[in-house]
mmCIF file of all heavy atoms in Angstrom:
data_model
loop_
_atom_site.group_PDB
_atom_site.id
_atom_site.type_symbol
_atom_site.label_atom_id
_atom_site.label_comp_id
_atom_site.label_asym_id
_atom_site.label_seq_id
_atom_site.Cartn_x
_atom_site.Cartn_y
_atom_site.Cartn_z
ATOM 1 N N CYS A 23 27.987 2.261 -65.939
ATOM 2 C CA CYS A 23 29.104 2.422 -66.765
ATOM 3 C C CYS A 23 29.076 1.409 -68.007
ATOM 4 O O CYS A 23 28.646 0.302 -67.905
ATOM 5 C CB CYS A 23 30.400 1.976 -65.826
ATOM 6 S SG CYS A 23 31.877 1.937 -66.874
ATOM 7 N N CYS A 26 32.452 -1.311 -67.159
ATOM 8 C CA CYS A 26 32.167 -2.273 -65.946
ATOM 9 C C CYS A 26 30.651 -2.139 -65.678
ATOM 10 O O CYS A 26 29.893 -1.719 -66.565
ATOM 11 C CB CYS A 26 33.024 -1.809 -64.778
ATOM 12 S SG CYS A 26 32.577 -0.374 -63.996
ATOM 13 N N CYS A 43 33.088 4.903 -66.755
ATOM 14 C CA CYS A 43 33.216 5.556 -65.394
ATOM 15 C C CYS A 43 34.620 5.891 -65.080
ATOM 16 O O CYS A 43 35.585 5.472 -65.649
ATOM 17 C CB CYS A 43 32.619 4.653 -64.374
ATOM 18 S SG CYS A 43 33.678 3.335 -63.767
ATOM 19 N N CYS A 46 37.078 3.078 -64.026
ATOM 20 C CA CYS A 46 37.605 2.347 -65.172
ATOM 21 C C CYS A 46 38.722 3.156 -65.797
ATOM 22 O O CYS A 46 39.814 2.595 -66.163
ATOM 23 C CB CYS A 46 36.519 2.111 -66.240
ATOM 24 S SG CYS A 46 35.376 0.700 -65.871
ATOM 25 N N ARG A 323 37.332 -4.964 -65.608
ATOM 26 C CA ARG A 323 38.472 -4.110 -65.950
ATOM 27 C C ARG A 323 39.802 -4.861 -66.164
ATOM 28 O O ARG A 323 40.594 -4.447 -67.041
ATOM 29 C CB ARG A 323 38.620 -3.106 -64.776
ATOM 30 C CG ARG A 323 37.622 -2.124 -64.651
ATOM 31 C CD ARG A 323 37.868 -1.192 -63.482
ATOM 32 N NE ARG A 323 36.620 -0.693 -63.006
ATOM 33 C CZ ARG A 323 36.162 -0.808 -61.779
ATOM 34 N NH1 ARG A 323 36.821 -1.507 -60.820
ATOM 35 N NH2 ARG A 323 35.011 -0.463 -61.490
HETATM 36 ZN ZN1 ZN B 623 33.373 1.552 -65.038
#
Side-chain angles (χ1 to χ4, degrees):
C23 172
C26 72
C43 81
C46 282
R323 285 180 209 121

